Amino acid sequence: MHYNMVEELCTLHTNLSDEDVQRINEIVVTLPLIADLNKANVFVDCPTKEGKHAIVVAEAAPTTTKSVYKKPVVGKLVYEAFEPSVFFTLRTGKPMFLNRALTQEGKTVDQSVVPIKASNNRIIGTLIMEKDISEQVRYQQKMEALSEATETLSEILIGMTEGRSIIPEVIEEALFFIDHEGKVLYCNPAATNLTQEIGEGNFKPGDLLVQYFPIIKKILSDPEELLVREVNILNKVFQIKKITLGQQEKSNGTFVIFKNITELREKERELIVKSVVIREIHHRVKNNLQTVASLLRLQIRKGLPEESKVHFVESLNRIASIASVYEIILSNSSVDDVDIYRLIEKIGNMLVFEAEHENKKVSISYSGPPHLLIKSNKAVSVALVINELIQNCVKHAFKSMNEGKISVLFAQNGNEIEVQVIDNGEGYSPKSKDSLGLEIVGMMIEHDLSGHFSIEPAETGTIALVRFPIDREVVEE
């Protein structure tokens, strides 16, 4: 196994870090054993930089049975159209078992895919196992059946049978079937219309396809049996698929399929522009909040009546908590998602740091699942609630104590997110219910989060409990 090649391919074609590549190499070491044990070809695929495709960075063929592949496939691109299971696993992190796929050499295999994860649970690649669907004694029979089906399909498409298949006639994609010389043997109505619309010249069956679409000459001359490319023709974007039919050294012809994806790409560009605008809005909101916070800090430093200072500090913390939401958004690749763990940790650390300036030694701990995401509009309400609850602990729980401990626990329970803020302070007093902070918590929970809030004494200290439902705006990675 050439580990240098793995590193070279990852560096050239992916956005993986050195740590990610090291993790990939740890998997690559085991590939020969996995291949022999399962009597299957195994591969490691990693997502490419642009995210549209994947690339094979390592492979191992079994020595305990015949390999599915004749040629090495390391360094070749993987297309979603032919291996959807790989891309499903890359996007979701969920394994897929015994799904049908087309190999790089055009064979049909049973494919199983499991994700390869980095230390932070991020998906960095997939481990793939492929077995030929034909087994032992039935191998020759199934290959003959596959060959007969391929020849029959070719005959239907080029009009050699008495009947005429309606399937290619009604599909929206422009479908051409060409021989080994590139001559058009068959084309469906969509293909005829496409040739008349943007092709160069008046189309006649038997002509060379490149005569009408010179831009695909390189695609047709490529030795790969399966190929997907995007090309621009007369200000339109087309996805072109090339599928060569055949078995072993015999070719029965090639499908060339044109799919107009101009509208799709325009929508993608619009989404990118909208995403940039949204991020710019988030950036400006964060800057404005930080400006307001800076003005409050300046006013506090200039001097305030002692009875007013505490209200300024509380307002400052509330503004800083809301700003934390937008700081987290801007540090993520997502446009509008906030990691609850990071949000709670950021707010808690800020408030405990403030307490240290008042000569109180307060420690805080956090417990909850990482990567539990919530949309920014809900995150602002959650930030204010968490700020008030932790600030309430810092302000009231340890009045006659020099040190204390706060624990913040959160979890997803069924259809709800539950957050607990627990302190080991002096205990809860019912009079505290009249404080502005708890009024803010009650209002946010009831009106913005449609949830439930309770606060009560514990064996030592106080427990504040917040529950709010998970709806379409809350997802877990």
Side-chain angles (χ1 to χ4, degrees):
M1 195 70 61
H2 301 290
Y3 305 114
N4 290 338
M5 182 177 292
V6 175
E7 295 177 3
E8 182 180 338
L9 288 171
C10 288
T11 301
L12 186 61
H13 297 285
T14 76
N15 291 320
L16 298 182
S17 65
D18 292 340
E19 183 180 351
D20 294 337
V21 176
Q22 183 178 353
R23 171 62 178 152
I24 294 294
N25 269 329
E26 291 174 1
I27 303 296
V28 170
V29 172
T30 65
L31 292 189
L33 289 175
I34 297 173
D36 286 343
L37 181 63
N38 293 280
K39 294 184 178 181
N41 290 71
V42 291
F43 310 87
V44 173
D45 291 0
C46 295
T48 55
K49 291 179 179 178
E50 72 281 358
K52 294 181 181 179
H53 308 304
I55 187 167
V56 184
V57 300
E59 66 177 348
T63 60
T64 50
T65 190
K66 186 178 179 181
S67 172
V68 177
Y69 290 79
K70 294 181 180 180
K71 302 175 184 178
V73 295
V74 169
K76 293 185 180 296
L77 290 176
V78 180
Y79 302 103
E80 184 169 7
F82 305 124
E83 299 187 45
S85 298
V86 173
F87 291 85
F88 175 83
T89 299
L90 284 173
R91 292 193 185 102
T92 66
K94 296 180 181 179
M96 294 287 285
F97 298 102
L98 301 179
N99 280 275
R100 221 31 94 73
L102 284 174
T103 71
Q104 297 281 348
E105 295 177 356
K107 292 183 180 179
T108 305
V109 294
D110 278 337
Q111 185 184 73
S112 296
V113 187
V114 295
I116 299 174
K117 299 182 179 180
S119 57
N120 59 0
N121 218 34
R122 182 168 43 84
I123 307 302
I124 59 175
T126 55
L127 178 63
I128 302 160
M129 182 176 72
E130 293 181 352
K131 286 187 177 182
D132 197 326
I133 59 170
S134 50
E135 294 288 339
Q136 299 175 358
V137 177
R138 297 183 298 169
Y139 176 82
Q140 186 62 40
Q141 294 174 340
K142 284 195 174 184
M143 290 306 295
E144 288 175 0
L146 179 61
S147 177
E148 290 175 5
T150 300
E151 290 175 1
T152 301
L153 178 61
S154 301
E155 290 174 359
I156 292 173
L157 290 176
I158 62 178
M160 293 176 64
T161 58
E162 294 180 0
R164 187 176 181 89
S165 174
I166 193 174
I167 295 175
E169 301 296 314
V170 298
I171 63 174
E172 294 181 356
E173 288 84 357
L175 184 148
F176 296 91
F177 187 69
I178 61 175
D179 63 14
H180 66 282
E181 295 180 347
K183 293 180 180 179
V184 178
L185 302 178
Y186 168 85
C187 63
N188 67 350
T192 302
N193 294 337
L194 179 68
T195 308
Q196 294 173 350
E197 181 182 353
I198 64 174
E200 298 182 4
N202 296 317
F203 174 71
K204 298 188 297 295
D207 287 343
L208 294 173
L209 186 59
V210 294
Q211 178 180 337
Y212 301 97
F213 305 102
I215 197 169
I216 70 166
K217 183 177 182 180
K218 189 175 181 180
I219 296 175
L220 296 181
S221 62
D222 194 297
E224 295 288 337
E225 288 89 353
L226 303 173
L227 205 61
V228 179
R229 292 283 187 271
E230 285 188 17
V231 300
N232 292 288
I233 305 176
L234 296 181
N235 298 320
K236 294 183 178 180
V237 183
F238 288 88
Q239 181 189 71
I240 298 180
K241 297 178 185 177
K242 184 192 77 169
I243 307 173
T244 300
L245 298 179
Q247 181 182 349
Q248 298 177 350
E249 302 302 322
K250 179 183 176 182
S251 174
N252 293 318
T254 299
F255 285 119
V256 181
I257 304 170
F258 288 70
K259 182 178 181 180
N260 190 338
I261 57 172
T262 307
E263 185 177 351
L264 174 64
R265 291 293 174 258
E266 287 177 353
K267 289 181 178 178
E268 287 178 351
R269 282 193 291 270
E270 289 175 3
L271 286 174
I272 291 171
V273 171
K274 288 179 181 178
S275 297
V276 171
V277 171
I278 291 172
R279 290 188 72 85
E280 178 62 22
I281 292 171
H282 288 328
H283 187 75
R284 294 187 182 186
V285 171
K286 184 204 73 169
N287 287 347
N288 290 339
L289 289 170
Q290 290 179 337
T291 299
V292 174
S294 297
L295 292 173
L296 287 175
R297 290 191 186 97
L298 181 62
Q299 185 65 59
I300 293 171
R301 285 198 296 269
K302 288 289 186 181
L304 289 168
E306 196 60 35
E307 64 273 14
S308 300
K309 183 177 179 181
V310 63
H311 301 300
F312 271 75
V313 171
E314 288 178 355
S315 298
L316 174 61
N317 289 336
R318 289 167 187 143
I319 292 169
S321 296
I322 298 173
S324 297
V325 173
Y326 295 96
E327 288 179 14
I328 293 173
I329 292 173
L330 292 170
S331 66
N332 290 340
S333 57
S334 175
V335 175
D336 203 36
D337 291 330
V338 179
D339 187 324
I340 292 182
Y341 193 105
R342 286 182 61 193
L343 178 63
I344 292 175
E345 186 179 41
K346 191 174 184 67
I347 294 171
N349 290 346
M350 174 188 69
L351 295 173
V352 168
F353 179 76
E354 293 284 345
E356 291 176 357
H357 287 287
E358 300 178 9
N359 298 320
K360 289 184 181 179
K361 187 177 180 181
V362 179
S363 63
I364 187 166
S365 62
Y366 312 93
S367 176
H371 311 303
L372 184 60
L373 304 181
I374 188 170
K375 294 299 180 183
S376 62
N377 59 336
K378 280 187 175 287
V380 169
S381 299
V382 172
L384 284 171
V385 168
I386 296 302
N387 173 80
E388 298 303 329
L389 293 179
I390 297 177
Q391 188 166 252
N392 194 58
C393 294
V394 173
K395 183 179 177 182
H396 299 294
F398 314 114
K399 276 186 176 179
S400 59
M401 302 169 62
N402 293 324
E403 61 181 54
K405 181 179 179 181
I406 302 172
S407 299
V408 184
L409 315 176
F410 68 96
Q412 178 179 333
N413 296 324
N415 195 43
E416 290 184 325
I417 289 180
E418 180 179 286
V419 183
Q420 296 182 66
V421 179
I422 307 169
D423 67 69
N424 64 345
E426 299 174 5
Y428 170 70
S429 170
K431 294 180 180 180
S432 300
K433 279 190 174 180
D434 298 328
S435 70
L436 175 61
L438 293 185
E439 284 184 16
I440 291 174
V441 172
M443 181 182 67
M444 290 292 177
I445 293 296
E446 181 180 353
H447 297 290
D448 292 353
L449 298 175
S450 302
H452 170 77
F453 167 63
S454 65
I455 183 168
E456 56 190 31
E459 291 183 11
T460 303
T462 305
I463 296 179
L465 175 64
V466 173
R467 291 194 187 97
F468 58 93
I470 299 174
D471 55 23
R472 287 177 296 178
E473 293 182 336
V474 181
V475 296
E476 184 175 5
E477 282 190 341

